Amino acid sequence: MQIYLPIAEVSVNAFLLLGLGGLIGVLSGLFGVGGGFLMTPLLFFIGIPPSVAVATGANQIVASSFSAVLAHLRRKTVDLRMGTVLLAGGLFGAGIGVQVFARLKAMGQVDLLVTLFYVVFLGAVGGLMFIESLRALRRARSPGGPVPKRKRHNWVHNLPLKMKFRTSGMYISVIPPFFIGAGVGVLSAIMGVGGGFIMVPAMIYLLGMPTKVVIGTSLFQIIFVTAFSTLMHAITTQSVDVVLAVMLILGGVLGAQIGSRMGTNLKAEQLRILLAMLVLLVCGKLALDLLLQPSELYSIGVSE
């Protein structure tokens, strides 16, 4: 069943869009990531222009993240104070990112640069995740080996403007969480991602937050930053396709519930290595598309 997307100006199978939304929703429920780092390039593959994919993909992240964060709030694994600091930085970064995106779109370079950003980020994140997953699998097979401990105190804990975060059991400066949030906000606006794949490791290894509250707090920040990015894109670049967003959201909300249930039955190490392989596969396909000669060398566009 074909459905016409007015802003993207293409016709796409409705069930394919529902399936994509569902797949990303499952990943959100399993790993605590918004899923935009896979959703946006997958939209490229089915013919959605990169500028529309970036601006619209954030809608689906809001829906699946909201669905997942409700479960974390019930379990009391969301540090609202830390989430607010990350959110302040995220909104600041998203405002900058949207202006950069609008400038690139006006120059006509946004499609190429967004794809290049994805090749670099997915390659780096997928590679690091794959290596870390292999180490975790080896440690699981040799239970007698030494278990690496996360460092609780580093240079972050010596910075000024300290605040007490009771849910996380921490007393640290607000400066690092603010700048982590700002970096994620910029990525959210330029790449259409939630940023959980960068924020979660930073919160664990840089800030020293307990793992049990990291996922819920990350999702809490992602909801507001991606919603703000979408609103700014709608106002400044008019690239948000509402029909596409609704189809992705319907699939994403259902998928998030399935993913959160699946996560209780599967081993974390095996899931992480599968996700890393999927990320590297998408990265390889994007890189190949950049290197190969396109089927249509010329395209006709309307000058603005």
Side-chain angles (χ1 to χ4, degrees):
M1 184 176 75
Q2 295 290 312
I3 187 166
Y4 181 69
L5 307 175
I7 304 297
E9 298 179 336
V10 291
S11 292
V12 185
N13 188 296
F15 295 112
L16 178 62
L17 292 178
L18 285 170
L20 274 181
L23 172 67
I24 302 304
V26 168
L27 292 177
S28 177
L30 276 174
F31 299 105
V33 294
F37 68 105
L38 282 175
M39 169 57 78
T40 310
L42 288 174
L43 289 174
F44 299 170
F45 297 160
I46 62 172
I48 309 296
S51 56
V52 177
V54 166
T56 310
N59 286 276
Q60 192 270 349
I61 297 166
V62 174
S64 58
S65 298
F66 184 75
S67 178
V69 88
L70 287 176
H72 285 282
L73 282 168
R74 283 195 295 271
R75 294 184 205 128
K76 296 183 179 176
T77 52
V78 180
D79 189 328
L80 293 173
R81 185 175 280 192
M82 175 65 79
T84 305
V85 175
L86 290 165
L87 178 57
L91 295 178
F92 173 74
I96 294 170
V98 168
Q99 296 305 317
V100 172
F101 188 91
R103 188 68 58 86
L104 290 172
K105 192 176 182 188
M107 290 165 58
Q109 297 297 318
V110 72
D111 290 4
L112 173 65
L113 283 171
V114 165
T115 309
L116 280 171
F117 259 71
Y118 266 102
V119 170
V120 172
F121 269 93
L122 292 182
V125 171
L128 289 169
M129 202 187 300
F130 189 77
I131 292 164
E132 178 60 31
S133 302
L134 282 177
R135 284 178 183 158
L137 278 172
R138 285 193 191 123
R139 284 198 298 269
R141 284 177 184 167
S142 56
V147 178
K149 290 184 180 179
R150 187 168 70 247
K151 286 168 73 176
R152 298 288 298 184
H153 290 276
N154 52 30
W155 60 271
V156 167
H157 297 79
N158 299 323
L159 294 171
L161 299 173
K162 289 191 175 183
M163 184 185 283
K164 190 167 278 185
F165 300 98
R166 295 186 187 281
T167 310
S168 301
M170 295 166 61
Y171 180 61
I172 61 164
S173 168
V174 297
I175 296 170
F178 181 86
F179 280 104
I180 289 169
V184 167
V186 172
L187 288 178
S188 175
I190 294 177
M191 296 173 65
V193 298
F197 65 103
I198 288 174
M199 190 157 50
V200 169
M203 288 160 78
I204 293 172
Y205 296 109
L206 190 63
L207 303 181
M209 282 180 69
T211 309
K212 66 176 182 178
V213 296
V214 163
I215 292 174
T217 308
S218 163
L219 289 169
F220 171 80
Q221 190 259 11
I222 284 168
I223 291 168
F224 293 100
V225 172
T226 46
F228 178 72
S229 296
T230 304
L231 181 65
M232 292 293 288
H233 275 300
I235 294 167
T236 58
T237 62
Q238 290 88 43
S239 300
V240 178
D241 194 308
V242 177
V243 179
L244 174 61
V246 169
M247 298 302 290
L248 295 175
I249 285 168
L250 286 173
V253 171
L254 291 170
Q257 297 302 318
I258 295 166
S260 58
R261 287 197 182 118
M262 283 171 62
T264 57
N265 302 321
L266 297 167
K267 285 186 178 178
E269 295 89 358
Q270 292 168 343
L271 284 173
R272 284 215 309 270
I273 206 161
L274 286 172
L275 181 64
M277 288 166 73
L278 184 61
V279 169
L280 289 171
L281 195 67
V282 171
C283 173
K285 175 71 169 71
L286 281 173
L288 199 64
D289 287 348
L290 280 174
L291 295 170
L292 293 177
Q293 182 174 301
S295 55
E296 295 179 11
L297 292 175
Y298 305 98
S299 63
I300 299 170
V302 180
S303 61
E304 295 178 7

